Amino acid sequence: MKRFGLLGRIILAIILGVLIGSFVNEGIIRLFATFNGLFGGFLSFIIPFIIIGFITPGIGTMGLGAGKTLGLSTILAYASTIIAGLIAYFVARGAYPNILGNQTLESVTDPSKGLSESYFVIEMAPPMEVMTALLLAFVLGIGIAAIKGDKLLHVMIDFRDIIILVIEKFIIPLLPFHIFGLFANMTHAGQVATILSVFAKVFVMIIILHILYLILQYSVAGSMSKQNPFRMIKQMLPAYFTALGSQSSAATIPVTLKQSKTLNIRESIADFTVPLFATIHLSGSTITLVSCSLAVMYLHGDATSFGSYFQFILMLGITMVAAPGVPGGAVMAAAGLLESMLGFDQTLLSLMIALYLAQDSFGTACNVTGDGALASITNSLSKFGKHQK
């Protein structure tokens, strides 16, 4: 039940929110809105700490790796993540006008036009701006790697563990209640039919993109290693279904590692790259984040240029480095970028989180299954480098 828990609770929260929001009075809805305001305020407060806690030890740890193999693996993981984001962007921009039609939700961020207001507001000002946190995280992470600062790295790893604890023990358990309140409020305001219709269509599109991207990854890996890509995918299915159940790349590492070694990958390469890719290769999560964020912006009637969105995708590939092996880690790491680069407010961010978490396990499964392809490509390229010498 624990493995099924988060997805089950989110689905239950949406269903109960729709049902209860359809008949309760304004006073009760305002209670839900008050909780949502408090939770959303805390989420905005914690985002800079999440950025520093994830990125700093992630970059610092990578800097202590094994030379050329580390560099090659990191470039492959980042390139795969960016390509996945770009594919998702162009597919979504082309598909949404057709599959979402004229659905809009332009009043969703204005309580006077539909959503009920909270009874009171408590200001929880973030300690710093999102971009300040990003810059600080990069400076600290690169600095730790450059000076091999083991003591500071251990401090930042402990800090990351505290942030993970906050996410696991506070944010994730309360998210279903937050989503429940949001959907109850939207149902009361008459907005929920549009949202649920979008959920279903976007969900299907994302799963199709995951599958097609895995086929692309293994086609490249298979052509380089002279193997059948579909046989390679079949070999990695145990890792896919393990991730589907656990929603954690980290928890799936033993299975991913075992299955990767059936793809004719040298054991030393597999042992090094698979745990690394589990933390830095997030192609499936990127497909989901880009697709969901574009859907939310489409609903809200916003249009973002490719240049702006390309910058978002580039930053996304870095920001999610070492996102924790907990459900929702990627969207938590990306929350700051959604606010600072795409202009998401608390309500849009809540919709984004709900959309993302509804299929988080599929994104994680795509991530870890793709790790096998990248490990195979790394193996092929490292062999090629040796032959060149």
Side-chain angles (χ1 to χ4, degrees):
M1 285 294 294
K2 190 174 180 181
R3 287 187 171 187
F4 175 75
L6 181 61
L7 179 58
R9 291 195 298 272
I10 289 169
I11 293 172
L12 182 62
I14 292 172
I15 294 171
L16 290 177
V18 172
L19 292 175
I20 293 174
S22 62
F23 65 83
V24 298
N25 59 36
E26 177 73 12
I28 301 297
I29 294 294
R30 290 189 68 187
L31 280 177
F32 300 153
T34 302
F35 171 80
N36 283 1
L38 294 173
F39 184 84
F42 178 78
L43 196 59
S44 296
F45 167 79
I46 202 72
I47 280 172
F49 295 112
I50 292 175
I51 290 170
I52 294 171
F54 289 176
I55 295 177
T56 302
I59 295 175
T61 302
M62 281 169 47
L64 303 177
K68 292 181 180 178
T69 305
L70 171 69
L72 176 60
S73 301
T74 303
I75 291 170
L76 284 174
Y78 187 68
S80 176
T81 300
I82 300 309
I83 291 169
L86 291 174
I87 290 173
Y89 172 83
F90 287 114
V91 170
R93 285 298 294 263
Y96 284 168
N98 295 318
I99 66 175
L100 300 185
N102 296 319
Q103 293 170 306
T104 59
L105 202 60
E106 294 182 7
S107 64
V108 74
T109 57
D110 188 349
S112 66
K113 293 183 181 180
L115 298 185
S116 300
E117 296 186 64
S118 60
Y119 283 112
F120 59 89
V121 176
I122 297 178
E123 292 294 333
M124 302 183 201
M128 64 186 77
E129 296 292 329
V130 168
M131 290 308 298
T132 303
L134 278 168
L135 289 172
L136 179 60
F138 291 149
V139 170
L140 287 174
I142 294 169
I144 289 170
I147 67 171
K148 296 183 172 59
D150 290 352
K151 291 182 180 178
L152 185 54
L153 178 61
H154 290 148
V155 170
M156 296 311 302
I157 289 173
D158 287 342
F159 180 68
R160 180 186 63 192
D161 291 342
I162 293 171
I163 297 300
I164 291 174
L165 196 65
V166 172
I167 292 174
E168 286 183 326
K169 304 299 182 183
F170 182 77
I171 294 177
I172 293 296
L174 289 181
L175 267 177
F177 296 97
H178 183 55
I179 292 169
F180 162 79
L182 180 66
F183 274 81
N185 203 338
M186 288 191 299
T187 301
H188 187 74
Q191 302 280 12
V192 77
T194 298
I195 291 294
L196 291 180
S197 173
V198 168
F199 264 44
K201 293 171 182 176
V202 172
F203 186 94
V204 171
M205 189 194 80
I206 288 171
I207 301 303
I208 293 172
L209 279 176
H210 284 166
I211 294 170
L212 293 176
Y213 195 65
L214 284 174
I215 292 173
L216 174 62
Q217 287 178 316
Y218 278 94
S219 295
V220 174
S223 66
M224 295 180 70
S225 62
K226 296 180 173 57
Q227 297 180 75
N228 185 320
F230 293 99
R231 187 198 70 83
M232 296 174 77
I233 292 174
K234 183 180 178 181
Q235 292 294 105
M236 294 300 298
L237 286 180
Y240 183 92
F241 288 108
T242 301
L244 207 59
S246 67
Q247 294 182 260
S248 169
S249 297
T252 314
I253 287 175
V255 181
T256 311
L257 187 58
K258 179 183 176 183
Q259 297 307 121
S260 293
K261 291 177 180 179
T262 68
L263 306 180
N264 299 325
I265 300 171
R266 279 173 290 161
E267 189 167 330
S268 60
I269 295 292
D271 288 343
F272 177 77
T273 58
V274 168
L276 176 66
F277 288 144
T279 60
I280 67 173
H281 178 227
L282 294 138
S283 56
S285 298
T286 302
I287 287 172
T288 305
L289 284 165
V290 171
S291 301
C292 291
S293 60
L294 274 169
V296 171
M297 294 182 74
Y298 186 90
L299 279 179
H300 194 236
D302 287 341
T304 302
S305 67
F306 170 71
S308 300
Y309 229 93
F310 184 52
Q311 294 176 34
F312 170 71
I313 293 169
L314 291 176
M315 290 299 295
L316 200 58
I318 300 172
T319 305
M320 293 191 300
V321 165
V326 297
V331 73
M332 293 302 165
L337 295 182
L338 291 167
E339 286 189 338
S340 63
M341 299 187 77
L342 299 185
F344 279 40
D345 62 9
Q346 287 184 13
T347 305
L348 294 184
L349 188 59
S350 299
L351 278 175
M352 177 68 192
I353 291 172
L355 259 174
Y356 181 89
L357 289 179
Q359 64 73 66
D360 181 37
S361 57
F362 290 92
T364 302
C366 180
N367 292 339
V368 301
T369 308
D371 292 348
L374 292 199
S376 178
I377 294 171
T378 304
N379 185 68
S380 298
L381 289 175
S382 60
K383 281 182 180 178
F384 177 76
K386 285 184 177 181
H387 291 323
Q388 287 292 95
K389 291 179 181 179

